[in-house]
Amino acid sequence: MASPLGPLRLAAQGQALVGLWFADQTGIPAWAQQASPSHTPSQADGVLASAMHQMQAFLVGQRQVFDLPLRFYAGTPFQQAVWQALRAIPFGQTSRYSDIAAAIGQPQAVRAVGSAIGRNPLGIVIPCHRVVGKGGALTGYTGGLERKQALLALEARAIQGV
């Protein structure tokens, strides 16, 4: 899918979205890289069409929350707990890695949280771009820090109504 921030790669299994990445980002799992790209969704075309429509609305500031069936195709229980915690970060706000670690009941696991966030299979929909370092520093986004900054700016503009 084309987007103002670069091409996106979406993956579905059955009627659930299982992956969303920037096509050139790091950390795309092997199973998603090996899948043949298709510009014509087939079996899961309902969820893919909905995901594309919602993503387009999000990227122009017209959507704040995604309403999509999601499934974690992979990930350890710890990673999945981190990904679920990311979903609680409100649109237009940020959270720190240490806040996510505390939210999942493992306040000492800040580095492991960072690692799990880097493996988020549903970028933007599960808003890992909203996680910042101490003092609000922009750190560690597999889609690139420029995109992280652009996504945060997009959300700030949408909140301000600009």
Side-chain angles (χ1 to χ4, degrees), residues 1-8 10 20 22 51-64 66 91 123-125 129 141 147 150-155 157-158:
M1 169 187 161
S3 89
L5 298 176
L8 295 170
L10 290 83
L20 193 152
F22 288 102
M52 287 187 244
H53 176 74
Q54 290 184 37
M55 184 58 59
Q56 288 169 342
F58 176 86
L59 290 170
V60 295
Q62 295 175 346
R63 175 176 278 278
Q64 295 185 5
F66 291 94
F91 182 89
I124 304 174
V125 173
H129 62 277
Y141 188 62
R147 286 180 176 139
L151 288 164
L152 293 173
L154 177 151
E155 292 185 13
R157 284 191 308 275

PDB file of all heavy atoms in Angstrom, residues 1-8 10 20 22 51-64 66 91 123-125 129 141 147 150-155 157-158:
ATOM      1  N   MET A   1       0.847  -1.175   0.000  1.00  0.00           N
ATOM      2  CA  MET A   1       0.000   0.000   0.000  1.00  0.00           C
ATOM      3  C   MET A   1       0.893   1.239   0.000  1.00  0.00           C
ATOM      4  O   MET A   1       1.839   1.317   0.780  1.00  0.00           O
ATOM      5  CB  MET A   1      -0.869  -0.019   1.263  1.00  0.00           C
ATOM      6  CG  MET A   1      -1.602   1.244   1.535  1.00  0.00           C
ATOM      7  SD  MET A   1      -2.453   1.223   3.130  1.00  0.00           S
ATOM      8  CE  MET A   1      -2.660   2.972   3.320  1.00  0.00           C
ATOM      9  N   ALA A   2       0.587   2.184  -0.865  1.00  0.00           N
ATOM     10  CA  ALA A   2       1.310   3.455  -0.886  1.00  0.00           C
ATOM     11  C   ALA A   2       0.853   4.304   0.296  1.00  0.00           C
ATOM     12  O   ALA A   2      -0.313   4.261   0.690  1.00  0.00           O
ATOM     13  CB  ALA A   2       1.045   4.182  -2.195  1.00  0.00           C
ATOM     14  N   SER A   3       1.784   5.053   0.871  1.00  0.00           N
ATOM     15  CA  SER A   3       1.437   5.982   1.948  1.00  0.00           C
ATOM     16  C   SER A   3       2.358   7.186   1.857  1.00  0.00           C
ATOM     17  O   SER A   3       3.418   7.103   1.233  1.00  0.00           O
ATOM     18  CB  SER A   3       1.576   5.306   3.329  1.00  0.00           C
ATOM     19  OG  SER A   3       2.880   5.446   3.843  1.00  0.00           O
ATOM     20  N   PRO A   4       1.990   8.298   2.486  1.00  0.00           N
ATOM     21  CA  PRO A   4       2.848   9.489   2.461  1.00  0.00           C
ATOM     22  C   PRO A   4       4.209   9.265   3.125  1.00  0.00           C
ATOM     23  O   PRO A   4       5.138  10.019   2.887  1.00  0.00           O
ATOM     24  CB  PRO A   4       2.051  10.543   3.239  1.00  0.00           C
ATOM     25  CG  PRO A   4       0.682  10.010   3.390  1.00  0.00           C
ATOM     26  CD  PRO A   4       0.728   8.546   3.172  1.00  0.00           C
ATOM     27  N   LEU A   5       4.315   8.213   3.933  1.00  0.00           N
ATOM     28  CA  LEU A   5       5.574   7.923   4.626  1.00  0.00           C
ATOM     29  C   LEU A   5       6.351   6.788   3.970  1.00  0.00           C
ATOM     30  O   LEU A   5       7.351   6.336   4.516  1.00  0.00           O
ATOM     31  CB  LEU A   5       5.294   7.592   6.097  1.00  0.00           C
ATOM     32  CG  LEU A   5       4.649   8.710   6.903  1.00  0.00           C
ATOM     33  CD1 LEU A   5       4.322   8.255   8.310  1.00  0.00           C
ATOM     34  CD2 LEU A   5       5.558   9.929   6.936  1.00  0.00           C
ATOM     35  N   GLY A   6       5.872   6.313   2.847  1.00  0.00           N
ATOM     36  CA  GLY A   6       6.532   5.218   2.141  1.00  0.00           C
ATOM     37  C   GLY A   6       5.620   4.020   2.045  1.00  0.00           C
ATOM     38  O   GLY A   6       4.602   3.939   2.733  1.00  0.00           O
ATOM     39  N   PRO A   7       5.974   3.070   1.164  1.00  0.00           N
ATOM     40  CA  PRO A   7       5.126   1.893   0.971  1.00  0.00           C
ATOM     41  C   PRO A   7       4.967   1.077   2.249  1.00  0.00           C
ATOM     42  O   PRO A   7       5.919   0.917   3.014  1.00  0.00           O
ATOM     43  CB  PRO A   7       5.861   1.078  -0.088  1.00  0.00           C
ATOM     44  CG  PRO A   7       6.916   1.957  -0.644  1.00  0.00           C
ATOM     45  CD  PRO A   7       7.159   3.055   0.337  1.00  0.00           C
ATOM     46  N   LEU A   8       3.758   0.579   2.452  1.00  0.00           N
ATOM     47  CA  LEU A   8       3.457  -0.279   3.598  1.00  0.00           C
ATOM     48  C   LEU A   8       3.205  -1.698   3.099  1.00  0.00           C
ATOM     49  O   LEU A   8       2.661  -1.898   2.013  1.00  0.00           O
ATOM     50  CB  LEU A   8       2.210   0.229   4.335  1.00  0.00           C
ATOM     51  CG  LEU A   8       2.329   1.587   5.000  1.00  0.00           C
ATOM     52  CD1 LEU A   8       0.967   2.074   5.467  1.00  0.00           C
ATOM     53  CD2 LEU A   8       3.298   1.525   6.165  1.00  0.00           C
ATOM     54  N   LEU A  10       1.184  -5.050   4.239  1.00  0.00           N
ATOM     55  CA  LEU A  10       0.149  -5.555   5.131  1.00  0.00           C
ATOM     56  C   LEU A  10       0.025  -7.057   4.923  1.00  0.00           C
ATOM     57  O   LEU A  10       0.170  -7.545   3.799  1.00  0.00           O
ATOM     58  CB  LEU A  10      -1.197  -4.902   4.840  1.00  0.00           C
ATOM     59  CG  LEU A  10      -1.329  -3.428   5.211  1.00  0.00           C
ATOM     60  CD1 LEU A  10      -0.760  -2.541   4.132  1.00  0.00           C
ATOM     61  CD2 LEU A  10      -2.777  -3.085   5.443  1.00  0.00           C
ATOM     62  N   LEU A  20       1.788  -5.372   9.703  1.00  0.00           N
ATOM     63  CA  LEU A  20       1.805  -4.084   9.025  1.00  0.00           C
ATOM     64  C   LEU A  20       3.167  -3.452   9.287  1.00  0.00           C
ATOM     65  O   LEU A  20       3.521  -3.203  10.440  1.00  0.00           O
ATOM     66  CB  LEU A  20       0.689  -3.170   9.524  1.00  0.00           C
ATOM     67  CG  LEU A  20       0.442  -1.941   8.644  1.00  0.00           C
ATOM     68  CD1 LEU A  20      -0.993  -1.483   8.755  1.00  0.00           C
ATOM     69  CD2 LEU A  20       1.385  -0.820   8.931  1.00  0.00           C
ATOM     70  N   PHE A  22       6.464  -0.848   7.357  1.00  0.00           N
ATOM     71  CA  PHE A  22       6.973  -0.090   6.226  1.00  0.00           C
ATOM     72  C   PHE A  22       7.779  -1.089   5.406  1.00  0.00           C
ATOM     73  O   PHE A  22       8.527  -1.899   5.960  1.00  0.00           O
ATOM     74  CB  PHE A  22       7.851   1.077   6.693  1.00  0.00           C
ATOM     75  CG  PHE A  22       7.055   2.182   7.317  1.00  0.00           C
ATOM     76  CD1 PHE A  22       7.006   2.315   8.692  1.00  0.00           C
ATOM     77  CD2 PHE A  22       6.351   3.072   6.523  1.00  0.00           C
ATOM     78  CE1 PHE A  22       6.254   3.323   9.271  1.00  0.00           C
ATOM     79  CE2 PHE A  22       5.602   4.083   7.094  1.00  0.00           C
ATOM     80  CZ  PHE A  22       5.547   4.210   8.472  1.00  0.00           C
ATOM     81  N   ALA A  51      -8.250  -2.417   6.478  1.00  0.00           N
ATOM     82  CA  ALA A  51      -6.992  -1.914   7.035  1.00  0.00           C
ATOM     83  C   ALA A  51      -6.432  -0.787   6.165  1.00  0.00           C
ATOM     84  O   ALA A  51      -5.977   0.240   6.682  1.00  0.00           O
ATOM     85  CB  ALA A  51      -5.983  -3.046   7.168  1.00  0.00           C
ATOM     86  N   MET A  52      -6.468  -0.968   4.854  1.00  0.00           N
ATOM     87  CA  MET A  52      -5.960   0.075   3.954  1.00  0.00           C
ATOM     88  C   MET A  52      -6.787   1.351   4.070  1.00  0.00           C
ATOM     89  O   MET A  52      -6.241   2.456   4.141  1.00  0.00           O
ATOM     90  CB  MET A  52      -5.947  -0.436   2.514  1.00  0.00           C
ATOM     91  CG  MET A  52      -4.859  -1.446   2.264  1.00  0.00           C
ATOM     92  SD  MET A  52      -4.759  -1.858   0.503  1.00  0.00           S
ATOM     93  CE  MET A  52      -5.201  -3.571   0.556  1.00  0.00           C
ATOM     94  N   HIS A  53      -8.099   1.200   4.115  1.00  0.00           N
ATOM     95  CA  HIS A  53      -8.982   2.363   4.240  1.00  0.00           C
ATOM     96  C   HIS A  53      -8.714   3.098   5.562  1.00  0.00           C
ATOM     97  O   HIS A  53      -8.585   4.329   5.587  1.00  0.00           O
ATOM     98  CB  HIS A  53     -10.439   1.914   4.142  1.00  0.00           C
ATOM     99  CG  HIS A  53     -11.420   3.009   4.344  1.00  0.00           C
ATOM    100  ND1 HIS A  53     -11.672   3.978   3.394  1.00  0.00           N
ATOM    101  CD2 HIS A  53     -12.212   3.314   5.408  1.00  0.00           C
ATOM    102  CE1 HIS A  53     -12.567   4.834   3.871  1.00  0.00           C
ATOM    103  NE2 HIS A  53     -12.910   4.444   5.077  1.00  0.00           N
ATOM    104  N   GLN A  54      -8.643   2.353   6.657  1.00  0.00           N
ATOM    105  CA  GLN A  54      -8.407   2.973   7.964  1.00  0.00           C
ATOM    106  C   GLN A  54      -7.024   3.606   8.043  1.00  0.00           C
ATOM    107  O   GLN A  54      -6.855   4.676   8.640  1.00  0.00           O
ATOM    108  CB  GLN A  54      -8.616   1.944   9.076  1.00  0.00           C
ATOM    109  CG  GLN A  54     -10.066   1.548   9.245  1.00  0.00           C
ATOM    110  CD  GLN A  54     -10.302   0.596  10.399  1.00  0.00           C
ATOM    111  OE1 GLN A  54      -9.662   0.715  11.445  1.00  0.00           O
ATOM    112  NE2 GLN A  54     -11.229  -0.341  10.227  1.00  0.00           N
ATOM    113  N   MET A  55      -6.029   2.955   7.452  1.00  0.00           N
ATOM    114  CA  MET A  55      -4.670   3.506   7.472  1.00  0.00           C
ATOM    115  C   MET A  55      -4.617   4.810   6.682  1.00  0.00           C
ATOM    116  O   MET A  55      -4.000   5.787   7.123  1.00  0.00           O
ATOM    117  CB  MET A  55      -3.679   2.486   6.897  1.00  0.00           C
ATOM    118  CG  MET A  55      -2.238   2.942   6.968  1.00  0.00           C
ATOM    119  SD  MET A  55      -1.642   3.320   8.647  1.00  0.00           S
ATOM    120  CE  MET A  55      -1.903   1.759   9.455  1.00  0.00           C
ATOM    121  N   GLN A  56      -5.281   4.862   5.524  1.00  0.00           N
ATOM    122  CA  GLN A  56      -5.317   6.094   4.745  1.00  0.00           C
ATOM    123  C   GLN A  56      -5.950   7.228   5.555  1.00  0.00           C
ATOM    124  O   GLN A  56      -5.446   8.350   5.570  1.00  0.00           O
ATOM    125  CB  GLN A  56      -6.077   5.879   3.435  1.00  0.00           C
ATOM    126  CG  GLN A  56      -5.309   5.037   2.443  1.00  0.00           C
ATOM    127  CD  GLN A  56      -6.158   4.600   1.255  1.00  0.00           C
ATOM    128  OE1 GLN A  56      -7.387   4.627   1.309  1.00  0.00           O
ATOM    129  NE2 GLN A  56      -5.498   4.179   0.194  1.00  0.00           N
ATOM    130  N   ALA A  57      -7.038   6.934   6.246  1.00  0.00           N
ATOM    131  CA  ALA A  57      -7.699   7.950   7.070  1.00  0.00           C
ATOM    132  C   ALA A  57      -6.791   8.383   8.225  1.00  0.00           C
ATOM    133  O   ALA A  57      -6.715   9.575   8.549  1.00  0.00           O
ATOM    134  CB  ALA A  57      -9.031   7.412   7.605  1.00  0.00           C
ATOM    135  N   PHE A  58      -6.096   7.447   8.834  1.00  0.00           N
ATOM    136  CA  PHE A  58      -5.179   7.771   9.934  1.00  0.00           C
ATOM    137  C   PHE A  58      -4.069   8.697   9.446  1.00  0.00           C
ATOM    138  O   PHE A  58      -3.736   9.685  10.104  1.00  0.00           O
ATOM    139  CB  PHE A  58      -4.578   6.479  10.519  1.00  0.00           C
ATOM    140  CG  PHE A  58      -3.557   6.734  11.592  1.00  0.00           C
ATOM    141  CD1 PHE A  58      -3.942   6.912  12.910  1.00  0.00           C
ATOM    142  CD2 PHE A  58      -2.210   6.805  11.286  1.00  0.00           C
ATOM    143  CE1 PHE A  58      -3.001   7.163  13.903  1.00  0.00           C
ATOM    144  CE2 PHE A  58      -1.261   7.055  12.265  1.00  0.00           C
ATOM    145  CZ  PHE A  58      -1.657   7.228  13.577  1.00  0.00           C
ATOM    146  N   LEU A  59      -3.495   8.381   8.303  1.00  0.00           N
ATOM    147  CA  LEU A  59      -2.336   9.122   7.814  1.00  0.00           C
ATOM    148  C   LEU A  59      -2.661  10.535   7.342  1.00  0.00           C
ATOM    149  O   LEU A  59      -1.750  11.334   7.115  1.00  0.00           O
ATOM    150  CB  LEU A  59      -1.641   8.327   6.703  1.00  0.00           C
ATOM    151  CG  LEU A  59      -0.939   7.061   7.201  1.00  0.00           C
ATOM    152  CD1 LEU A  59      -0.492   6.201   6.024  1.00  0.00           C
ATOM    153  CD2 LEU A  59       0.226   7.395   8.122  1.00  0.00           C
ATOM    154  N   VAL A  60      -3.942  10.858   7.236  1.00  0.00           N
ATOM    155  CA  VAL A  60      -4.316  12.240   6.934  1.00  0.00           C
ATOM    156  C   VAL A  60      -5.011  12.894   8.132  1.00  0.00           C
ATOM    157  O   VAL A  60      -5.627  13.940   7.994  1.00  0.00           O
ATOM    158  CB  VAL A  60      -5.183  12.344   5.650  1.00  0.00           C
ATOM    159  CG1 VAL A  60      -4.385  11.915   4.431  1.00  0.00           C
ATOM    160  CG2 VAL A  60      -6.475  11.574   5.773  1.00  0.00           C
ATOM    161  N   GLY A  61      -4.901  12.253   9.293  1.00  0.00           N
ATOM    162  CA  GLY A  61      -5.431  12.838  10.522  1.00  0.00           C
ATOM    163  C   GLY A  61      -6.924  12.712  10.709  1.00  0.00           C
ATOM    164  O   GLY A  61      -7.511  13.404  11.537  1.00  0.00           O
ATOM    165  N   GLN A  62      -7.580  11.812   9.968  1.00  0.00           N
ATOM    166  CA  GLN A  62      -9.028  11.660  10.070  1.00  0.00           C
ATOM    167  C   GLN A  62      -9.453  10.452  10.900  1.00  0.00           C
ATOM    168  O   GLN A  62     -10.649  10.196  11.018  1.00  0.00           O
ATOM    169  CB  GLN A  62      -9.638  11.560   8.669  1.00  0.00           C
ATOM    170  CG  GLN A  62      -9.457  12.823   7.869  1.00  0.00           C
ATOM    171  CD  GLN A  62      -9.967  12.680   6.442  1.00  0.00           C
ATOM    172  OE1 GLN A  62     -10.220  11.589   5.955  1.00  0.00           O
ATOM    173  NE2 GLN A  62     -10.115  13.808   5.769  1.00  0.00           N
ATOM    174  N   ARG A  63      -8.517   9.697  11.431  1.00  0.00           N
ATOM    175  CA  ARG A  63      -8.832   8.534  12.266  1.00  0.00           C
ATOM    176  C   ARG A  63      -7.827   8.486  13.400  1.00  0.00           C
ATOM    177  O   ARG A  63      -6.640   8.673  13.194  1.00  0.00           O
ATOM    178  CB  ARG A  63      -8.769   7.244  11.445  1.00  0.00           C
ATOM    179  CG  ARG A  63      -8.969   5.991  12.294  1.00  0.00           C
ATOM    180  CD  ARG A  63      -9.008   4.736  11.440  1.00  0.00           C
ATOM    181  NE  ARG A  63     -10.317   4.521  10.863  1.00  0.00           N
ATOM    182  CZ  ARG A  63     -11.333   3.956  11.503  1.00  0.00           C
ATOM    183  NH1 ARG A  63     -11.212   3.560  12.743  1.00  0.00           N
ATOM    184  NH2 ARG A  63     -12.493   3.791  10.898  1.00  0.00           N
ATOM    185  N   GLN A  64      -8.345   8.232  14.607  1.00  0.00           N
ATOM    186  CA  GLN A  64      -7.475   8.145  15.772  1.00  0.00           C
ATOM    187  C   GLN A  64      -7.364   6.727  16.320  1.00  0.00           C
ATOM    188  O   GLN A  64      -6.393   6.390  16.985  1.00  0.00           O
ATOM    189  CB  GLN A  64      -7.976   9.076  16.876  1.00  0.00           C
ATOM    190  CG  GLN A  64      -7.904  10.530  16.485  1.00  0.00           C
ATOM    191  CD  GLN A  64      -8.285  11.453  17.627  1.00  0.00           C
ATOM    192  OE1 GLN A  64      -8.512  11.042  18.746  1.00  0.00           O
ATOM    193  NE2 GLN A  64      -8.362  12.737  17.323  1.00  0.00           N
ATOM    194  N   PHE A  66      -7.979   2.463  15.462  1.00  0.00           N
ATOM    195  CA  PHE A  66      -8.215   1.440  14.444  1.00  0.00           C
ATOM    196  C   PHE A  66      -9.245   0.449  14.965  1.00  0.00           C
ATOM    197  O   PHE A  66      -9.230   0.078  16.142  1.00  0.00           O
ATOM    198  CB  PHE A  66      -6.913   0.702  14.108  1.00  0.00           C
ATOM    199  CG  PHE A  66      -5.935   1.578  13.377  1.00  0.00           C
ATOM    200  CD1 PHE A  66      -4.950   2.267  14.071  1.00  0.00           C
ATOM    201  CD2 PHE A  66      -6.001   1.729  12.007  1.00  0.00           C
ATOM    202  CE1 PHE A  66      -4.048   3.083  13.411  1.00  0.00           C
ATOM    203  CE2 PHE A  66      -5.113   2.548  11.331  1.00  0.00           C
ATOM    204  CZ  PHE A  66      -4.132   3.227  12.036  1.00  0.00           C
ATOM    205  N   PHE A  91      -3.991   8.112  21.504  1.00  0.00           N
ATOM    206  CA  PHE A  91      -3.635   8.902  20.328  1.00  0.00           C
ATOM    207  C   PHE A  91      -3.127  10.260  20.790  1.00  0.00           C
ATOM    208  O   PHE A  91      -3.712  10.906  21.650  1.00  0.00           O
ATOM    209  CB  PHE A  91      -4.879   9.071  19.448  1.00  0.00           C
ATOM    210  CG  PHE A  91      -4.649   9.822  18.173  1.00  0.00           C
ATOM    211  CD1 PHE A  91      -4.271   9.154  17.030  1.00  0.00           C
ATOM    212  CD2 PHE A  91      -4.843  11.197  18.122  1.00  0.00           C
ATOM    213  CE1 PHE A  91      -4.079   9.848  15.832  1.00  0.00           C
ATOM    214  CE2 PHE A  91      -4.651  11.896  16.932  1.00  0.00           C
ATOM    215  CZ  PHE A  91      -4.262  11.217  15.796  1.00  0.00           C
ATOM    216  N   GLY A 123       2.868  -2.483  13.237  1.00  0.00           N
ATOM    217  CA  GLY A 123       3.253  -1.087  13.390  1.00  0.00           C
ATOM    218  C   GLY A 123       2.120  -0.133  13.063  1.00  0.00           C
ATOM    219  O   GLY A 123       1.256  -0.432  12.238  1.00  0.00           O
ATOM    220  N   ILE A 124       2.115   0.981  13.700  1.00  0.00           N
ATOM    221  CA  ILE A 124       1.121   2.056  13.613  1.00  0.00           C
ATOM    222  C   ILE A 124      -0.198   1.618  14.249  1.00  0.00           C
ATOM    223  O   ILE A 124      -0.707   2.299  15.125  1.00  0.00           O
ATOM    224  CB  ILE A 124       0.898   2.587  12.177  1.00  0.00           C
ATOM    225  CG1 ILE A 124       2.227   3.054  11.575  1.00  0.00           C
ATOM    226  CG2 ILE A 124      -0.117   3.736  12.183  1.00  0.00           C
ATOM    227  CD1 ILE A 124       2.144   3.470  10.115  1.00  0.00           C
ATOM    228  N   VAL A 125      -0.759   0.474  13.836  1.00  0.00           N
ATOM    229  CA  VAL A 125      -2.010  -0.012  14.434  1.00  0.00           C
ATOM    230  C   VAL A 125      -1.779  -0.292  15.920  1.00  0.00           C
ATOM    231  O   VAL A 125      -2.599   0.080  16.763  1.00  0.00           O
ATOM    232  CB  VAL A 125      -2.515  -1.271  13.699  1.00  0.00           C
ATOM    233  CG1 VAL A 125      -3.709  -1.889  14.414  1.00  0.00           C
ATOM    234  CG2 VAL A 125      -2.869  -0.934  12.260  1.00  0.00           C
ATOM    235  N   HIS A 129       5.243   3.695  17.799  1.00  0.00           N
ATOM    236  CA  HIS A 129       5.829   5.018  17.540  1.00  0.00           C
ATOM    237  C   HIS A 129       5.568   5.985  18.697  1.00  0.00           C
ATOM    238  O   HIS A 129       6.233   7.008  18.797  1.00  0.00           O
ATOM    239  CB  HIS A 129       5.303   5.600  16.219  1.00  0.00           C
ATOM    240  CG  HIS A 129       3.834   5.826  16.194  1.00  0.00           C
ATOM    241  ND1 HIS A 129       2.929   4.817  15.907  1.00  0.00           N
ATOM    242  CD2 HIS A 129       3.102   6.950  16.418  1.00  0.00           C
ATOM    243  CE1 HIS A 129       1.706   5.317  15.958  1.00  0.00           C
ATOM    244  NE2 HIS A 129       1.774   6.602  16.265  1.00  0.00           N
ATOM    245  N   TYR A 141      13.077   3.264  16.509  1.00  0.00           N
ATOM    246  CA  TYR A 141      11.898   2.943  15.714  1.00  0.00           C
ATOM    247  C   TYR A 141      12.356   2.204  14.468  1.00  0.00           C
ATOM    248  O   TYR A 141      13.135   2.741  13.679  1.00  0.00           O
ATOM    249  CB  TYR A 141      11.140   4.225  15.350  1.00  0.00           C
ATOM    250  CG  TYR A 141       9.800   3.985  14.692  1.00  0.00           C
ATOM    251  CD1 TYR A 141       8.793   3.303  15.366  1.00  0.00           C
ATOM    252  CD2 TYR A 141       9.547   4.427  13.405  1.00  0.00           C
ATOM    253  CE1 TYR A 141       7.561   3.078  14.766  1.00  0.00           C
ATOM    254  CE2 TYR A 141       8.312   4.213  12.807  1.00  0.00           C
ATOM    255  CZ  TYR A 141       7.329   3.531  13.486  1.00  0.00           C
ATOM    256  OH  TYR A 141       6.112   3.305  12.905  1.00  0.00           O
ATOM    257  N   ARG A 147      10.274   8.774  10.369  1.00  0.00           N
ATOM    258  CA  ARG A 147       8.869   8.362  10.314  1.00  0.00           C
ATOM    259  C   ARG A 147       8.221   8.441  11.692  1.00  0.00           C
ATOM    260  O   ARG A 147       7.053   8.829  11.803  1.00  0.00           O
ATOM    261  CB  ARG A 147       8.754   6.947   9.757  1.00  0.00           C
ATOM    262  CG  ARG A 147       9.004   6.875   8.265  1.00  0.00           C
ATOM    263  CD  ARG A 147       8.871   5.464   7.773  1.00  0.00           C
ATOM    264  NE  ARG A 147       9.016   5.377   6.340  1.00  0.00           N
ATOM    265  CZ  ARG A 147       9.686   4.408   5.729  1.00  0.00           C
ATOM    266  NH1 ARG A 147      10.257   3.443   6.440  1.00  0.00           N
ATOM    267  NH2 ARG A 147       9.770   4.384   4.419  1.00  0.00           N
ATOM    268  N   ALA A 150       7.427  11.942  12.206  1.00  0.00           N
ATOM    269  CA  ALA A 150       6.301  12.336  11.345  1.00  0.00           C
ATOM    270  C   ALA A 150       4.973  11.823  11.905  1.00  0.00           C
ATOM    271  O   ALA A 150       3.967  12.542  11.887  1.00  0.00           O
ATOM    272  CB  ALA A 150       6.519  11.823   9.929  1.00  0.00           C
ATOM    273  N   LEU A 151       4.949  10.600  12.411  1.00  0.00           N
ATOM    274  CA  LEU A 151       3.715  10.048  12.982  1.00  0.00           C
ATOM    275  C   LEU A 151       3.297  10.812  14.234  1.00  0.00           C
ATOM    276  O   LEU A 151       2.115  11.120  14.425  1.00  0.00           O
ATOM    277  CB  LEU A 151       3.889   8.555  13.294  1.00  0.00           C
ATOM    278  CG  LEU A 151       3.951   7.648  12.068  1.00  0.00           C
ATOM    279  CD1 LEU A 151       4.496   6.275  12.438  1.00  0.00           C
ATOM    280  CD2 LEU A 151       2.581   7.534  11.422  1.00  0.00           C
ATOM    281  N   LEU A 152       4.256  11.128  15.098  1.00  0.00           N
ATOM    282  CA  LEU A 152       3.938  11.897  16.300  1.00  0.00           C
ATOM    283  C   LEU A 152       3.457  13.302  15.943  1.00  0.00           C
ATOM    284  O   LEU A 152       2.508  13.815  16.555  1.00  0.00           O
ATOM    285  CB  LEU A 152       5.154  11.951  17.235  1.00  0.00           C
ATOM    286  CG  LEU A 152       5.555  10.617  17.855  1.00  0.00           C
ATOM    287  CD1 LEU A 152       6.863  10.744  18.611  1.00  0.00           C
ATOM    288  CD2 LEU A 152       4.453  10.078  18.754  1.00  0.00           C
ATOM    289  N   ALA A 153       4.071  13.909  14.938  1.00  0.00           N
ATOM    290  CA  ALA A 153       3.639  15.245  14.494  1.00  0.00           C
ATOM    291  C   ALA A 153       2.245  15.193  13.882  1.00  0.00           C
ATOM    292  O   ALA A 153       1.420  16.075  14.132  1.00  0.00           O
ATOM    293  CB  ALA A 153       4.637  15.814  13.488  1.00  0.00           C
ATOM    294  N   LEU A 154       1.965  14.149  13.120  1.00  0.00           N
ATOM    295  CA  LEU A 154       0.632  13.974  12.532  1.00  0.00           C
ATOM    296  C   LEU A 154      -0.419  13.899  13.643  1.00  0.00           C
ATOM    297  O   LEU A 154      -1.465  14.556  13.554  1.00  0.00           O
ATOM    298  CB  LEU A 154       0.626  12.682  11.710  1.00  0.00           C
ATOM    299  CG  LEU A 154      -0.669  12.245  11.064  1.00  0.00           C
ATOM    300  CD1 LEU A 154      -0.367  11.465   9.799  1.00  0.00           C
ATOM    301  CD2 LEU A 154      -1.539  11.420  11.972  1.00  0.00           C
ATOM    302  N   GLU A 155      -0.146  13.125  14.691  1.00  0.00           N
ATOM    303  CA  GLU A 155      -1.089  13.002  15.785  1.00  0.00           C
ATOM    304  C   GLU A 155      -1.250  14.318  16.524  1.00  0.00           C
ATOM    305  O   GLU A 155      -2.373  14.704  16.887  1.00  0.00           O
ATOM    306  CB  GLU A 155      -0.658  11.879  16.732  1.00  0.00           C
ATOM    307  CG  GLU A 155      -0.778  10.506  16.089  1.00  0.00           C
ATOM    308  CD  GLU A 155      -0.479   9.361  17.041  1.00  0.00           C
ATOM    309  OE1 GLU A 155      -0.402   9.580  18.274  1.00  0.00           O
ATOM    310  OE2 GLU A 155      -0.326   8.225  16.558  1.00  0.00           O
ATOM    311  N   ARG A 157      -0.904  17.343  15.292  1.00  0.00           N
ATOM    312  CA  ARG A 157      -1.714  18.228  14.440  1.00  0.00           C
ATOM    313  C   ARG A 157      -3.185  17.843  14.487  1.00  0.00           C
ATOM    314  O   ARG A 157      -4.062  18.706  14.533  1.00  0.00           O
ATOM    315  CB  ARG A 157      -1.203  18.208  12.996  1.00  0.00           C
ATOM    316  CG  ARG A 157       0.066  18.989  12.760  1.00  0.00           C
ATOM    317  CD  ARG A 157       0.378  19.150  11.273  1.00  0.00           C
ATOM    318  NE  ARG A 157       0.378  17.910  10.516  1.00  0.00           N
ATOM    319  CZ  ARG A 157       1.428  17.083  10.412  1.00  0.00           C
ATOM    320  NH1 ARG A 157       2.565  17.388  11.010  1.00  0.00           N
ATOM    321  NH2 ARG A 157       1.333  15.979   9.682  1.00  0.00           N
ATOM    322  N   ALA A 158      -3.457  16.554  14.456  1.00  0.00           N
ATOM    323  CA  ALA A 158      -4.863  16.095  14.487  1.00  0.00           C
ATOM    324  C   ALA A 158      -5.535  16.499  15.803  1.00  0.00           C
ATOM    325  O   ALA A 158      -6.689  16.916  15.810  1.00  0.00           O
ATOM    326  CB  ALA A 158      -4.934  14.590  14.277  1.00  0.00           C
TER     327      ALA A 158
END
